[in-house]
Amino acid sequence: MILAVETSCDDTCAAVVDGPRVLANVISSQAAVHDRYGGVVPEVASRHHLELVEPVVGAALEEAGVALERIEAVAVTAGPGLIGALLVGLSSAKAIAAARRLPLIPVDHLQGHVAANFLEPDPLQPPFLCLLASGGHTLLAAVHDHGGHLVLGQTLDDAAGEAIDKAARMLGLGYPGGPALERLAASGDPGAFALPLAMTRDAGLDFSFSGLKTAMAYRCRELGEEEVDARRADLAASFQAAVVGQLIAKLERALEGGDWGAVALGGGVAANRALRDATAELCERRGARLKLVPGELCTDNAAMIGAAALHAKRLPYPDYLAYDAFAAGELAA
Ligand code: KG4
Ligand code: ZN
């Protein structure tokens, strides 16, 4: 029975997992707070986490019907992410664990996204290939066991979700732009505007989204405000198609390069219907099994941190009291 806390960006999250079973998965989104700034303001996020973390943890325990006395370990995202935001979650998790002399399990946020696939129902067993696309990261990971993943390729500049959020802003949509852009794209023509499918002729497995973002900005400038307004749905659909096109092209290249029987998606962008459909089509064509978790396990949540914690190192009390969060890079061994 693990209590998990995740505060790496702008969602305050707590979950209770019993092995791979999710008993509660509470997410308090700060999206509305950051919307007026057009993106996440780190200091504002930290302050909100500070206010929200206690009630969110309480809500998770209550929803799970589990008293704190029954929790055996506390898992927490240690990084990568916004350092101030991470510190709030880490300090709270340490306090909860230390008060009861429980072990602490620091978790890598990206491994958390991978581990969402280990949760019930229908947990996915490694090996599998995982495409992870979020607001902060875009990468292809080889998952050979439950304990970690190997990065095969990653974005050289912007993350897919970051580019989507910026394009959404150009179309006058709020933050985060992903879900709104997807809704707008549904009534648009994905072939209306030719936007670059960056990196697809490049032999490697790395991604790039900043050129696409710039191309979109130029296209909007050429069209002018009125025309952009009239053709928002077509622009959204064309932009979404270019993002999905690059993600799928690289996923296909990775599938060609290895003997993968199963594919999984992770990260907020994996909630996107167009990406899910295109991945399903690709997997069917290549005879690979596709694992899709529900949207609320794609975007940031603490259940995935609990899932990763099941296979991560436990630090006994009091060894973790000086354990530090990290903004970038990897979990300290
Ligand atoms: O994994 P996540 O919640 O947070 C990070 O770790 O970054 O991902 C958030 C990102 C945002 O950029 C958001 O716009 C995008 O995922 N996103 C979507 C959708 N839902 C969330 N992008 C496209 N379509 C969606 N339905
Ligand atoms: Zn994330």
Side-chain angles (χ1 to χ4, degrees), residues 3-9 11-13 46 49-50 53-54 57 74-80 82-99 102-108 305 313 315 319-327 331-332:
L3 170 68
V5 178
E6 145 72 43
T7 62
S8 67
C9 190
D11 293 316
T12 315
C13 317
S46 312
H49 284 309
L50 211 51
V53 70
E54 214 183 306
V57 165
V74 182
V76 62
T77 307
L82 303 171
I83 195 69
L86 288 162
L87 282 171
V88 176
L90 181 61
S91 309
S92 310
K94 277 184 191 174
I96 296 167
L102 295 175
L104 186 85
I105 313 174
V107 171
D108 177 278
I305 302 304
K313 196 170 147 189
L315 304 179
D319 295 7
Y320 50 80
L321 290 178
Y323 196 92
D324 223 346
F326 58 98
L331 207 66

Side-chain angles (χ1 to χ4, degrees), residues 109 113 134-136 161 164-165 176-179 182 267-269 271-272 298-300:
H109 181 77
H113 277 301
S134 72
I164 288 173
D165 289 341
E182 178 177 358
V269 181
N272 184 273
C298 292
T299 45
D300 286 348

Side-chain angles (χ1 to χ4, degrees), residues 172-316:
L173 303 169
Y175 173 84
L181 187 115
E182 178 177 358
R183 276 193 297 278
L184 186 56
S187 57
D189 171 12
F193 296 97
L195 291 165
L197 271 179
M199 307 290 283
T200 45
R201 258 169 281 154
D202 173 273
L205 294 176
D206 288 334
F207 302 85
S208 168
F209 291 99
S210 80
L212 171 60
K213 181 189 64 187
T214 309
M216 177 77 168
Y218 279 129
R219 191 45 70 94
C220 289
R221 198 180 304 167
E222 283 160 21
L223 288 170
E225 224 172 279
E226 239 169 74
E227 194 64 14
V228 167
D229 213 36
R231 305 203 56 190
R232 283 166 83 232
D234 284 346
L235 283 162
S238 302
F239 188 83
Q240 179 176 268
V243 171
V244 171
Q246 185 185 153
L247 292 172
I248 291 292
K250 292 295 172 160
L251 184 58
E252 178 151 28
R253 183 156 301 152
L255 280 171
E256 279 165 2
D259 185 20
W260 297 104
V263 169
L265 293 182
V269 181
N272 184 273
R273 177 49 56 192
L275 177 60
R276 289 164 91 94
D277 289 349
T279 312
E281 190 274 325
L282 169 65
C283 287
E284 192 171 330
R285 189 152 44 81
R286 302 205 67 99
R289 179 185 166 206
L290 173 62
K291 164 80 177 170
L292 290 175
V293 298
E296 66 269 22
L297 291 176
C298 292
T299 45
D300 286 348
N301 66 89
M304 69 182 197
I305 302 304
L310 284 174
H311 309 278
K313 196 170 147 189
R314 290 177 178 222
L315 304 179

